[in-house]
């Protein structure tokens, strides 16, 4: 969130010279940045936590976890009962993508919630607020 508030974007957006701004062209404040990142973070967190929880309670006791790679393998092997929930969460992400494709200003659901826009840095310089 600090990057969004301070520099107007995540590392990927900064590399491609896109910025996340309010309707007046200024960078987001802390509240708006929090709202913008809340929905994607919740979706990713729920999915990840469910898989981790299920993996921990179902893997055999003789399995020793010595690295993150091993934990990932075990989560993949024993975390699958939540695949339906994962699929549902993915559908929400696809709906978000469809919202971007079918609105004129290419805003995602989290952009509408936070009142933000993703623009190119060049367009911000050409139209100062």
């Amino acid at each position: 969130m600090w990057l969004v508030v301070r520099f107007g974007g995540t590392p990927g957006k900064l590399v491609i010279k896109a910025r996340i701004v309010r309707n007046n062209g200024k960078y987001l404040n802390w509240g708006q940045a929090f709202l913008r990142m809340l929905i994607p973070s919740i979706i990713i967190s729920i999915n990840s936590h469910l898989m981790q929880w299920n993996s921990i309670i179902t893997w055999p006791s003789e399995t020793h976890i010595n690295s993150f790679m091993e934990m990932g393998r075990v989560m993949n092997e024993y975390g699958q009962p939540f695949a339906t929930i994962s699929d549902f969460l993915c559908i929400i992400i696809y709906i978000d993508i469809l919202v971007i494709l079918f609105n004129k200003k290419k805003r995602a659901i989290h952009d509408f919630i936070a009142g933000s826009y993703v623009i190119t840095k060049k367009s911000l310089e050409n139209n100062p607020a």
Side-chain angles (χ1 to χ4, degrees):
M1 284 190 348
W2 180 78
L3 288 171
V4 172
V5 173
R6 176 69 172 94
F7 298 107
T10 58
K13 284 188 177 40
L14 295 173
V15 167
I16 64 167
K17 297 185 179 172
R19 296 296 186 265
I20 304 167
V21 297
R22 296 181 266 176
N23 59 355
N24 63 1
K26 298 190 185 307
Y27 296 154
L28 303 184
N29 60 35
W30 284 100
Q32 290 170 313
F34 177 77
L35 282 175
R36 188 174 191 280
M37 297 192 154
L38 186 64
I39 301 299
S41 296
I42 287 173
I43 291 171
I44 291 167
S45 293
I46 289 172
N47 187 31
S48 172
H49 284 75
L50 286 174
M51 287 183 67
Q52 287 175 359
W53 174 76
N54 190 61
S55 299
I56 289 168
I57 65 169
T58 59
W59 71 44
S61 58
E62 66 273 0
T63 304
H64 298 288
I65 306 300
N66 298 324
S67 69
F68 285 115
M69 294 295 287
E70 182 66 15
M71 179 140 187
R73 185 195 63 75
V74 170
M75 281 177 55
N76 192 38
E77 188 173 334
Y78 295 101
Q80 294 307 312
F82 291 110
T84 303
I85 294 172
S86 291
D87 291 345
F88 174 73
L89 295 172
C90 287
I91 288 171
I92 293 172
I93 293 170
Y94 291 136
I95 290 170
D96 201 26
I97 292 168
L98 288 174
V99 168
I100 294 168
L101 292 174
F102 292 107
N103 74 69
K104 195 161 118 179
K105 294 188 178 181
K106 304 299 181 202
R107 295 172 74 194
I109 294 170
H110 54 270
D111 287 319
F112 285 107
I113 291 170
S116 62
Y117 299 84
V118 177
I119 62 169
T120 62
K121 187 176 179 184
K122 188 174 187 176
S123 67
L124 181 61
E125 291 167 353
N126 291 339
N127 298 314

